Amino acid sequence: MRTENVFLAGTGAYIPPRVSVAEAVRRGWYDRERMESCGWRNIAVADGTSAPDMAVAAVRQAVDRSGLGRDDIDILVHSCAYHQGPDGWSAPHYILRSTLDTPVPALTVEQGCNAFLAALEMATQYLLCAPSRTGAVVSSADNFGAPSVDRWHAHRDAVLADAATAVVLSKRSGWAELRSIDSVSLPRFEILNRGHVPIFPPSVTAGRMLDMNEHLEAMVEELGPRASEIGQEYAASSVKLIEQVTGEAGITVADLSKVLHLGAGTTDFLDSHLRPMGLDASLGAVDFFRDVGHAGAADVGLQLNHLVEDGQVSPGDHLLMLSAGPGLMVTAAVVTVRELPAWSTEGAEGSGA
């Protein structure tokens, strides 16, 4: 979907203190072989700070930076990959009450690692369908310190990190423009995130640990030789989606300055995912993620915030935001930098701050 006059006005992030992966190996939490092969150095661990409380911090920062008033924002969409709090509770309304405290809608998108970009697409559609709407907040946060998660072994390639991010969209102005955004699904591979675990009762109520490795093994077992098709179809669908959103933005893949992606600890691992899509891993941010971990749905927003804060983008840069999650669903968006905001390193230097 081509978007017009939708801007990024502010970003925010909350990254808790890190735990050294080498220390985790010494304590027996993590395997030295995995440390050496997967590339992680430090992992963000929030301990008892809840995901919604981290989101509150990120939203406050993003709103403060945006220049928008609380009455300029028409919706808050929160996203996550794991449980947020008490059963029957609304985490986005807790975040809303703790930040804007206005009567606008507050929703949750739970779509695994793709949730942040899926929420961004939803918020964009909400703004565009009514002329009177001017702004939206999209947040994402997870804390994988729950008893049902072993963050060090739940995923064979990643260590699960705790963090939060937020972005403010505006139809008036911003430091960057959202040029296009869209999604595609491959539902015949939904078993990839289900495995052989019974659908009922829900896993967490039965005391089962989160085990993404088992899900992958179950998919291979059920699909047999056809399991290899997932990589081919995922790449082909992603290539088509990327060509679509770049074309709608009026650019080509060769014009991309950065690729914002899910957390990866090595260039080889990132390259194995991006190369089949025609993307160069050098456009990514492996070094940033090696000191954070894989923070569920928040990765793309964390990378965006980091690039701008650190002055690693310039006016005219085209950024591809790309993520995937259960379903299998892929979302891609193109953002073009218009100017560096005052709160970025380069923007602050340029303004004499």
Side-chain angles (χ1 to χ4, degrees):
M1 178 187 70
R2 179 180 178 180
T3 57
E4 294 184 357
N5 298 319
V6 177
F7 304 97
L8 277 62
T11 66
Y14 178 90
I15 302 178
R18 273 74 154 185
V19 171
S20 162
V21 174
E23 177 64 18
V25 170
R26 284 193 291 270
R27 291 176 175 266
W29 302 338
Y30 197 50
D31 303 321
R32 181 169 298 279
E33 183 178 345
R34 283 195 180 188
M35 179 182 73
E36 294 171 350
S37 64
C38 294
W40 308 104
R41 291 185 299 232
N42 298 285
I43 304 299
V45 176
D47 290 327
T49 303
S50 74
D53 282 318
M54 289 190 286
V56 166
V59 168
R60 286 175 177 167
Q61 185 178 51
V63 173
D64 286 346
R65 289 171 165 177
S66 73
L68 272 64
R70 56 201 290 270
D71 294 328
D72 296 323
I73 295 172
D74 300 284
I75 191 171
L76 184 149
V77 186
H78 180 59
S79 60
C80 58
Y82 204 62
H83 305 288
Q84 298 287 289
D87 289 341
W89 175 65
S90 175
H93 283 89
Y94 173 86
I95 297 166
L96 179 67
R97 181 181 68 82
S98 302
T99 54
L100 304 173
D101 197 22
T102 57
V104 301
L107 308 172
T108 302
V109 174
E110 298 181 12
Q111 219 273 310
C113 300
N114 195 50
F116 178 72
L117 287 188
L120 190 72
E121 183 178 9
M122 176 184 290
T124 300
Q125 296 275 16
Y126 186 86
L127 288 182
L128 292 176
C129 71
S132 61
R133 295 170 183 165
T134 58
V137 172
V138 179
S139 62
S140 185
D142 279 297
N143 182 330
F144 291 104
S148 55
V149 181
D150 176 356
R151 72 173 73 245
W152 303 98
H153 296 100
H155 191 291
R156 66 176 186 176
D157 297 311
V159 179
L160 302 180
D162 310 328
T165 190
V167 65
V168 175
L169 298 177
S170 171
K171 286 165 64 175
R172 295 174 180 167
S173 64
W175 59 269
E177 183 176 2
L178 179 63
R179 305 282 298 280
S180 60
I181 186 167
D182 218 324
S183 299
V184 65
S185 290
L186 298 169
R188 75 187 187 97
F189 296 120
E190 60 81 25
I191 189 177
L192 177 61
N193 299 96
R194 171 169 53 88
H196 289 157
V197 176
I199 295 175
F200 186 85
S203 295
V204 69
T205 66
R208 285 190 289 268
M209 298 289 289
L210 176 66
D211 189 349
M212 300 178 189
N213 305 304
E214 185 278 335
H215 297 169
L216 178 61
E217 293 166 2
M219 184 203 71
V220 173
E221 180 182 334
E222 179 163 315
L223 298 181
R226 291 189 299 122
S228 62
E229 296 174 8
I230 185 171
Q232 299 166 6
E233 291 198 29
Y234 170 65
S237 296
S238 298
V239 167
K240 185 177 180 180
L241 179 63
I242 293 166
E243 290 177 346
Q244 175 189 329
V245 295
T246 52
E248 290 169 341
I251 65 171
T252 67
V253 173
D255 295 321
L256 294 171
S257 308
K258 301 281 185 183
V259 175
L260 283 61
H261 52 84
L262 297 178
T266 67
T267 301
D268 287 346
F269 179 79
L270 182 61
D271 182 66
S272 70
H273 285 265
L274 296 187
R275 184 167 26 84
M277 303 177 194
L279 301 172
D280 193 328
S282 67
L283 300 179
V286 169
D287 201 53
F288 168 69
F289 283 113
R290 291 186 72 191
D291 289 315
V292 176
H294 171 33
D299 285 348
V300 171
L302 292 174
Q303 186 181 350
L304 175 67
N305 183 76
H306 169 70
L307 289 174
V308 181
E309 277 190 343
D310 206 41
Q312 294 187 37
V313 292
S314 302
D317 281 355
H318 302 297
L319 315 178
L320 175 69
M321 300 195 295
L322 179 69
S323 65
L328 180 68
M329 180 170 163
V330 186
T331 301
V334 173
V335 168
T336 298
V337 179
R338 304 171 74 212
E339 61 185 4
L340 287 179
W343 42 270
S344 83
T345 300
E346 294 297 323
E349 291 175 354
S351 65

